[in-house]
Amino acid sequence: MVGENLKKLSGGILLFTALVVFSFAQQLVDRVVASINGDPILESDVKLGMLFYNTTDRREAISRLVDVWLINQFLQGKGVGVQEELLDQALVKIAQANNMSLERLQNELQKEGLTLRDLKEFLRKEILFSQGIYAVLLREVNVSALDLELEKLKRGEVEVKRLVEVVVVDKKDSERLMRALEKTKDPQELAKALGLEVETLLVKKGELVESLDKEVWNAKVGDLVFGEDKEHIYVAKVVEVREEYKGKSLEELKGELLEKKLEERKRELLQNLRKKSFIRIMG
């Protein structure tokens, strides 16, 4: 039967993952419970919403559905939709996640006065609300260099790391190394010529052999540097310099900022849509 704990699967699409027992006192009557600019929210939508949002509070479910309907109307006005193939795949995945065939899923929904079409149309709106809106908002939201700099300051201490390719050569092979260096300065090719392996390391200052560490941290990206100890010669190339902020790389930081700005813009949009819309709640 339609369940208590309808949760969300990641992967670019929201899906129900658990259809278990959920009892209702009365048979569903698909009446209009709210109207958004003349577009009705039905009892079946509320029922699916309560399951999807994992709540028994009708008012909460209806409030969230109002937001979903507003975003859908906004996106429809811009010609944004969801492909039928994607929705069909979503239904199949829901059934599979619950160890059901589509026929059985349909039967379980029917026991609660719902249909596969109800679920499909609910998913259409929810996917647009939770995913499709960002395709539009990305055209007007971006993370600037100033945004990043300000966020760096907020995050505090910066941890700088260097990505290096290192070839460790036995000192007895130093002459072979010199001959190889006459032909190439690429660590991969050097290693191949010497029958060795290249180690790719992401290191902080002080983590390499002392003589090599000093050279690596004085070098620029692309430089080939050398170090040695009693038994080995170390050949290293600086591939990249990375800055991390409380465990986040610059790209991760940019992604977090973009997500935050998109959510803020979405909230602003919803506030404006609510102000400009005719919303009627009947029950």
Side-chain angles (χ1 to χ4, degrees), residues 42-107:
L42 304 177
E43 186 67 35
S44 57
D45 298 316
V46 177
K47 190 168 189 178
L48 284 166
M50 290 171 69
L51 297 170
F52 190 82
Y53 306 130
N54 192 25
T55 180
T56 56
D57 188 331
R58 282 179 60 85
R59 290 181 180 273
E60 178 187 349
I62 292 172
S63 178
R64 294 182 70 168
L65 289 173
V66 168
D67 287 344
V68 172
W69 259 239
L70 286 170
I71 290 295
N72 270 258
Q73 290 174 354
F74 173 77
L75 291 177
Q76 287 164 9
K78 294 184 176 295
V80 179
V82 180
Q83 293 180 346
E84 293 299 314
E85 181 181 355
L86 182 63
L87 292 169
D88 290 337
Q89 290 173 359
L91 291 174
V92 170
K93 288 180 180 179
I94 291 168
Q96 290 175 343
N98 291 277
N99 297 314
M100 294 181 182
S101 63
L102 277 177
E103 183 178 1
R104 184 183 167 196
L105 175 60
Q106 179 174 269
N107 290 337

Side-chain angles (χ1 to χ4, degrees), residues 146-203:
L146 179 58
D147 291 329
L148 275 174
E149 289 302 318
L150 290 173
E151 189 64 21
K152 288 179 190 178
L153 292 173
K154 290 179 185 177
R155 298 270 173 150
E157 186 176 346
V158 180
E159 186 171 61
V160 181
K161 295 182 179 180
R162 294 201 167 199
L163 185 68
V164 293
E165 293 179 339
V166 181
V167 181
V168 183
V169 183
D170 196 297
K171 278 196 171 180
K172 66 182 181 182
D173 292 324
S174 59
E175 291 187 8
R176 290 179 61 209
L177 172 61
M178 295 304 294
R179 288 196 297 270
L181 283 167
E182 290 176 0
K183 298 178 181 179
T184 182
K185 298 295 188 291
D186 181 81
Q188 300 288 342
E189 294 181 7
L190 282 173
K192 185 176 180 180
L194 297 169
L196 301 171
E197 298 290 332
V198 175
E199 293 185 66
T200 302
L201 306 171
L202 183 61
V203 297

